[in-house]
Amino acid sequence: MIVKLTCRTNRLYALLKTPLVCQNMARPSSDLAEFREIFSKAKRIAILTGAGVSAESGVPTFRGAGGYWRKWQAQNLATPEAFSRIPSRVWEFYHYRRELMLTKNPNAAHMAIAECEERLSKQGREVTVVTQNIDELHRRAGSKSILELHGSLFRTRCLSCGHEAANYQSPICAALEGKGAPDPDSDDANISVEQLPRCEHKGCGGLLRPAVVWFGEALDAHIINQAEQVLDSCDLCLVVGTSSVVYPAALFAPQVAARGVPVAEFNMEDTPATKNFMFHFQGPCGTTLPSALAHHQTEDE
């Protein structure tokens, strides 16, 4: 994905081309008690999440060998060029994803994060989720402080007037009802542009697109700036279910670690950034995260 980075992130990227010599390059700790001690004192916690946390809810990642919808990979459909050429096929793909998400529920990891935010907020402590996911499972779990770097499946933007709004209609338009089957032998619906989702804002009638960040598009500068402010001020950072290979999000946790703040990674496997972090907890996030974020005895003092 091509993104326009802020000056600060550009400088960080340059720094990360060389080893972070200030970091302890030993194997990260998996000592939960040690992590919990740091967690109990943290006032501003940043939680970076990726596709791995939603995969445990049965959400397809559309990556790797099995990452196809029909005969196409997501990167062949999630582009402005594809939408310009074949808007019907692209809308079928997103209609399928929207309808699928309506059948999925937040898992134990989503719930642990939301419960932690609610509990700590009553103590004057902050928990902010910075997510690459577009499925809104954090929101459905009850998280309130969320920065969605890549937008949401359940928001649309008009190509004519630019109006952006939440949209939970199912189906999003009549012509897409029953369409979007992911099987490789499924035929395109070839829906006319006039029958695809249209803007209802002030009678505009323009063609709607999903309000997500496509390959080749810049991330929202306002969201990126907010994320950087969260990361600049946090005193503990968690990296949950992310491969640490999608930029600029892949730079965020190393940026925090480089200034000496504890970073804990919760993932099924090591990532390219693992060696920079203080902690690494391997396994399903829905198993490892709840115990890490549970009520700490010092909260009663």
Side-chain angles (χ1 to χ4, degrees), residues 114-127:
E115 191 279 332
C116 178
E117 178 190 350
E118 181 180 18
R119 190 180 78 245
L120 297 193
S121 68
K122 297 174 182 176
Q123 304 167 27
R125 300 162 67 188
E126 298 175 5
V127 176

Side-chain angles (χ1 to χ4, degrees), residues 45-155:
I45 302 172
I47 303 181
L48 310 176
T49 71
V53 71
S54 291
E56 293 178 36
S57 289
V59 180
T61 62
F62 293 104
R63 293 177 184 167
Y68 284 82
W69 176 82
R70 295 183 182 168
K71 297 174 285 187
W72 298 280
Q73 289 187 304
Q75 56 263 42
N76 300 128
L77 298 170
T79 70
E81 294 78 17
F83 193 70
S84 176
R85 289 186 293 105
I86 43 173
S88 174
R89 183 187 299 164
V90 174
W91 258 122
E92 276 199 87
F93 174 56
Y94 280 95
H95 170 66
Y96 163 72
R97 297 179 70 178
R98 284 167 56 97
E99 295 297 305
L100 180 67
M101 282 313 309
L102 294 177
T103 71
K104 305 300 181 183
N105 294 303
N107 60 55
H110 295 108
M111 302 305 294
I113 292 170
E115 191 279 332
C116 178
E117 178 190 350
E118 181 180 18
R119 190 180 78 245
L120 297 193
S121 68
K122 297 174 182 176
Q123 304 167 27
R125 300 162 67 188
E126 298 175 5
V127 176
T128 303
V129 175
V130 180
T131 187
Q132 300 172 71
N133 299 335
I134 61 174
D135 51 42
E136 292 199 5
L137 285 179
H138 283 299
R139 197 176 304 280
R140 287 169 55 190
S143 291
K144 299 292 192 296
S145 182
I146 310 169
L147 296 175
E148 295 169 320
L149 296 175
H150 297 161
S152 167
L153 280 172
F154 298 98
R155 293 188 68 83

Side-chain angles (χ1 to χ4, degrees), residues 171-183:
I172 190 170
C173 70
L176 281 167
E177 184 168 10
K179 308 300 182 184
D183 312 287

Side-chain angles (χ1 to χ4, degrees), residues 4 62 73 76 93 106 109 136 181 188 196-197 209-210 246 281 299:
K4 297 177 182 177
F62 293 104
Q73 289 187 304
N76 300 128
F93 174 56
E136 292 199 5
D188 281 2
L196 290 174
R209 57 160 282 178
V246 178
F281 299 100
E299 295 177 37

